[in-house]
Amino acid sequence: MEMLFEYLRRYDIWNNLFPGMIFIYSYNVFWNVYDWNQIPIVYIFFMAYFIGMIISRIGSICIEPLLKKIKFIKFIDYISYLTAVECDKTIIELNTVNNVYRTILTGLIIFLLIFIHKEINDICMLINSEIVIYDLFLIVLFLLSYRKQTGYINKRVSKYI
């Protein structure tokens, strides 16, 4: 377990593991899905990390652009960000905290949507292919995440060319 924590960066812990743990714990409090005594701790950490990563990607791909579009938040251009980070390293920490807030916000939104979905499903009993729908959603989510991350890398590389 110690080796796992050594591998994880502080960003991964705060932006993926922490929100994932909050989410799976809250989910279990409301719907009592897991018997935590029967699940190995390593499995819980991997599950929390993966769920946290999904929540983080939804925040990055869906929530952040929506908030930009409605002008709730405004970002500076990426090249200016990189220039500023060269002068002030605390911007990286501020950005990490900012991403944690976005991920927790996204987790809360997802939690609300799951609650609404379960209530509607209990009433209607119409949705039979949830796994396929969730899988397609995750495919699109990570496809868009990959494109976004590639854009960041390209911008960073082009700064030095």
Side-chain angles (χ1 to χ4, degrees):
M1 188 61 67
E2 288 177 38
M3 203 168 84
L4 177 65
F5 282 118
E6 286 176 22
Y7 175 76
L8 293 175
R9 297 175 302 153
R10 190 169 22 165
Y11 179 86
D12 291 319
I13 291 170
W14 286 110
N15 204 47
N16 295 331
L17 187 59
F18 177 65
M21 288 294 263
I22 291 171
F23 189 85
I24 64 173
Y25 177 78
S26 300
Y27 191 89
N28 201 52
V29 166
F30 277 89
W31 293 290
N32 201 23
V33 178
Y34 308 109
D35 178 4
W36 295 112
N37 297 325
Q38 300 298 322
I39 302 174
I41 191 77
V42 172
Y43 177 79
I44 292 170
F45 276 97
F46 279 113
M47 184 172 63
Y49 183 86
F50 184 68
I51 289 172
M53 186 172 57
I54 292 170
I55 293 168
S56 177
R57 295 296 81 215
I58 293 170
S60 178
I61 300 299
C62 303
I63 302 300
E64 183 178 292
L66 176 66
L67 294 176
K68 283 182 188 176
K69 189 172 187 106
I70 65 171
K71 299 187 185 329
F72 186 80
I73 57 171
K74 182 181 176 187
F75 279 13
I76 197 157
D77 67 278
Y78 189 62
I79 299 299
S80 298
Y81 170 81
L82 293 177
T83 303
V85 165
E86 291 294 320
C87 300
D88 183 357
K89 299 292 185 200
T90 60
I91 294 171
I92 295 170
E93 291 296 320
L94 295 171
N95 192 44
T96 298
V97 172
N98 194 44
N99 288 340
V100 171
Y101 290 161
R102 182 194 66 211
T103 302
I104 291 173
L105 168 68
T106 304
L108 292 170
I109 291 168
I110 292 169
F111 197 81
L112 177 64
L113 293 174
I114 289 171
F115 181 79
I116 292 168
H117 168 75
K118 285 188 172 293
E119 291 298 312
I120 290 171
N121 200 31
D122 287 347
I123 294 169
C124 299
M125 296 292 196
L126 294 176
I127 301 171
N128 294 327
S129 57
E130 290 178 355
I131 300 297
V132 173
I133 293 168
Y134 294 148
D135 191 44
L136 288 173
F137 175 75
L138 291 175
I139 289 169
V140 171
L141 176 69
F142 280 95
L143 183 65
L144 295 173
S145 297
Y146 181 63
R147 182 174 71 179
K148 182 178 180 179
Q149 191 67 20
T150 301
Y152 283 141
I153 294 167
N154 290 342
K155 285 179 185 177
R156 185 129 191 165
V157 170
S158 69
K159 179 181 176 188
Y160 300 103
I161 297 176

